[in-house]
Amino acid sequence: MIPSNGFRHTDIYAALPGTRSIRAAEYLQAPIRRESLEDALETLRKYDTVFVIDDSSSMRGKRWQDTRHALSSLADVTAKYDADGIDICFLNHKTFVSGVRRSSTVNRVFDRIQPTGVTPIGGKLEELLLAYLDKIEKAKVREIAGESNVTTAIKPVNYIVLTDGAPTDDPEDVIVMAARRLDRGNFPITQVGIQFVQIGNSLLAAEFLKELDDGLTSNHGIRDIVDTTPFTMTGGVLTAEMLTKILLGGINRRVDRRGGRSVMY
């Protein structure tokens, strides 16, 4: 049965263990050694997954529908591993939905929102990251004072930004600030991950996002917390390759180091 969003969930899970997807198996063996896709996605249980959606005016039309369809399928898969469900927020609209476990919820949210405005990726990431960093830093102070298991009670976070273009502000400074605070606090290298998924084919946007992925660590001497994935519609099937890259690229360096490869579905 093909759901209303146009994706076949059997296609999503076709590359899970016990199937014949040689392409997926070969891809996973390289960056993640012999772990299966199922084992790789088990990592998501340890994380809070937050989808940040670009709802700027340039997302109107096909790009908005592509984003809805992609997020619907990603929500169904992620919710299988994240017992708390995923969180969804937008760059411009104030809507923040937590605990999403079904694609039907994604569709209801998208029905209420129309893209408008600019692309303040830096501002939204600053809002999200500052709140999270304050929380884990305060927890660490309490732990140093003698409380036990305070920081470990706070899940690491995986931010996945779906956007079509270059931002109208500067997310680089925000990301560098966050990485430096994580370094100063000696937090685990996987405490925070940021995945940029490019909707559409703007070369300018692709170049900018690639710089965020490849340049920040070497230019600023900080930990690597960013990955980017070009995103292209090629027939309505979400492959294991793309699924892994989107959901794990920001928090698993072995997936990230797959290296700027265009992943399609």
Side-chain angles (χ1 to χ4, degrees):
M1 179 177 181
I2 300 177
S4 59
N5 63 15
F7 286 81
R8 295 171 293 179
H9 293 173
T10 52
D11 288 326
I12 295 174
Y13 292 103
L16 293 177
T19 70
R20 300 177 182 178
S21 179
I22 297 175
R23 182 185 180 208
E26 289 175 347
Y27 170 79
L28 289 167
Q29 285 173 6
I32 318 180
R33 297 178 184 173
R34 298 184 180 276
E35 292 179 75
S36 67
L37 174 60
E38 184 91 42
D39 291 338
L41 292 175
E42 283 287 335
T43 304
L44 295 173
R45 296 191 189 279
K46 303 175 183 178
Y47 284 81
D48 283 328
T49 302
V50 181
F51 284 91
V52 182
I53 309 302
D54 181 353
D55 57 346
S56 62
S57 56
S58 63
M59 291 288 288
R60 292 172 185 161
K62 184 179 183 299
R63 290 179 179 179
W64 192 241
Q65 292 307 312
D66 288 349
T67 303
R68 175 202 290 254
H69 294 161
L71 183 57
S72 293
S73 289
L74 290 167
D76 281 345
V77 175
T78 309
K80 177 184 176 185
Y81 299 92
D82 187 346
D84 299 330
I86 65 171
D87 296 338
I88 302 173
C89 63
F90 297 84
L91 297 186
N92 293 297
H93 289 81
K94 300 302 182 183
T95 299
F96 189 100
V97 185
S98 59
V100 176
R101 296 180 178 85
R102 295 182 178 87
S103 59
S104 58
T105 305
V106 172
N107 289 325
R108 285 196 299 271
V109 171
F110 270 66
D111 285 341
R112 301 198 305 265
I113 293 176
Q114 293 300 316
T116 185
V118 294
T119 313
I121 294 175
K124 177 56 68 172
L125 283 179
E126 183 175 32
E127 174 188 325
L128 295 169
L129 287 166
L130 287 179
Y132 182 76
L133 291 169
D134 286 347
K135 182 167 67 172
I136 60 173
E137 287 171 348
K138 288 176 182 177
K140 190 151 197 175
V141 169
R142 290 167 54 196
E143 202 163 77
I144 292 172
E147 294 187 50
S148 59
N149 302 321
V150 183
T151 56
T152 55
I154 300 174
K155 278 186 173 183
V157 65
N158 184 21
Y159 297 106
I160 302 176
V161 184
L162 277 68
T163 180
D164 73 331
T168 50
D169 57 8
D170 185 11
E172 178 173 337
D173 287 346
V174 173
I175 295 169
V176 170
M177 172 276 298
R180 284 177 174 160
R181 284 177 65 170
L182 291 165
D183 287 339
R184 284 198 302 268
N186 199 30
F187 290 101
I189 196 68
T190 55
Q191 187 76 46
V192 172
I194 303 171
Q195 170 71 251
F196 288 97
V197 181
Q198 184 188 353
I199 306 294
N201 56 4
S202 165
L203 294 178
L204 179 63
E207 182 180 350
F208 179 82
L209 294 177
K210 188 175 187 301
E211 176 63 22
L212 290 181
D213 186 359
D214 298 337
L216 296 189
T217 299
S218 57
N219 292 340
H220 298 279
I222 56 174
R223 64 175 62 192
D224 184 5
I225 63 174
V226 175
D227 185 34
T228 62
T229 299
F231 187 89
T232 308
M233 298 289 289
T234 61
V237 177
L238 186 61
T239 66
E241 185 173 336
M242 186 171 193
L243 178 69
T244 307
K245 188 71 161 62
I246 291 176
L247 294 178
L248 299 178
I251 56 177
N252 188 318
R253 299 280 69 79
R254 288 171 290 179
V255 175
D256 183 8
R257 283 195 294 265
R258 200 59 176 160
R261 178 176 176 177
S262 180
V263 187
M264 301 180 179
Y265 80 93

